[in-house]
Amino acid sequence: MKISPSQSWRLKDSLYTLTLGKCKKCGNIFYPYQTICPQCGSMDIEKIKAKGTGTLLEYTILYQARDGFEKQLPLVVGLIRLDEGVDLVAPLTDVDTSELKEGVRVEAVLRRVRSDSSNGLIQYGLKFKVVEDAKPD
């Protein structure tokens, strides 16, 4: 999927920050942000910015990728529980796959996802990296 510079600008909040929704009626916190609570159906939703830190619950290593992403192989994808209690699936970056363990602390970082040679746009996105001083024993 190619994103134009104007689309990238319009989507910057959803592409470059972890915006959660918090229902004022039932207290449910969810990701991605949406205007209706998926638990109770309330439309009284507050936007909250996640701290961007959490714990790696599970992960998998992919050795095949979609067209245009071959240079990123092997791709490590993890199930992450944010400190706010929300689970999400996200790519991991800057990891040594031989030392990766479930239960490590991770934090969101902005990384280049790909470059579009036709219009010169560099697309960035959120990935997670292991917090070095918080590795479990």
Side-chain angles (χ1 to χ4, degrees), residues 61-78:
I61 302 172
L62 305 174
Y63 295 96
Q64 295 180 342
R66 296 184 352 220
D67 291 341
F69 291 89
E70 295 87 356
K71 291 181 182 178
Q72 296 181 18
L73 293 176
L75 181 63
V76 183
V77 178

Side-chain angles (χ1 to χ4, degrees), residues 9-10 13 62 67 75 80 86 97 102 110 114 121-123:
W9 177 255
R10 285 191 303 271
D13 288 338
L62 305 174
D67 291 341
L75 181 63
I80 297 161
V86 176
T97 56
E102 296 168 355
L110 197 59
R114 66 177 162 186
L121 179 68
I122 299 173
Q123 183 180 350

Side-chain angles (χ1 to χ4, degrees), residues 4-136:
S4 70
S6 59
Q7 286 174 313
S8 180
W9 177 255
R10 285 191 303 271
L11 296 172
K12 70 182 183 311
D13 288 338
S14 63
L15 292 173
Y16 307 137
T17 62
L18 283 170
T19 303
L20 310 175
K22 181 175 183 179
C23 179
K24 292 182 181 179
K25 182 178 179 184
C26 71
N28 182 37
I29 299 175
F30 50 90
Y31 177 83
Y33 171 81
Q34 55 191 16
T35 58
I36 298 174
C37 176
Q39 187 166 324
C40 73
S42 172
M43 294 178 62
D44 194 7
I45 307 298
E46 168 186 14
K47 277 187 182 181
I48 57 174
K49 185 176 176 182
K51 290 185 270 183
T53 55
T55 303
L56 180 65
L57 301 178
E58 296 182 32
Y59 68 93
T60 189
I61 302 172
L62 305 174
Y63 295 96
Q64 295 180 342
R66 296 184 352 220
D67 291 341
F69 291 89
E70 295 87 356
K71 291 181 182 178
Q72 296 181 18
L73 293 176
L75 181 63
V76 183
V77 178
L79 175 61
I80 297 161
R81 176 158 297 145
L82 296 176
D83 291 341
E84 292 82 3
V86 176
D87 293 350
L88 59 89
V89 175
L92 301 177
T93 188
D94 306 331
V95 294
D96 180 352
T97 56
S98 66
E99 295 179 1
L100 191 59
K101 295 180 181 166
E102 296 168 355
V104 296
R105 295 287 297 161
V106 293
E107 66 182 353
V109 292
L110 197 59
R111 291 290 189 265
R112 179 169 54 173
V113 176
R114 66 177 162 186
S115 300
D116 183 353
S117 60
S118 64
N119 64 17
L121 179 68
I122 299 173
Q123 183 180 350
Y124 290 88
L126 290 174
K127 296 183 179 186
F128 282 80
K129 72 172 193 168
V130 174
V131 178
E132 291 301 320
D133 59 346
K135 289 183 181 177

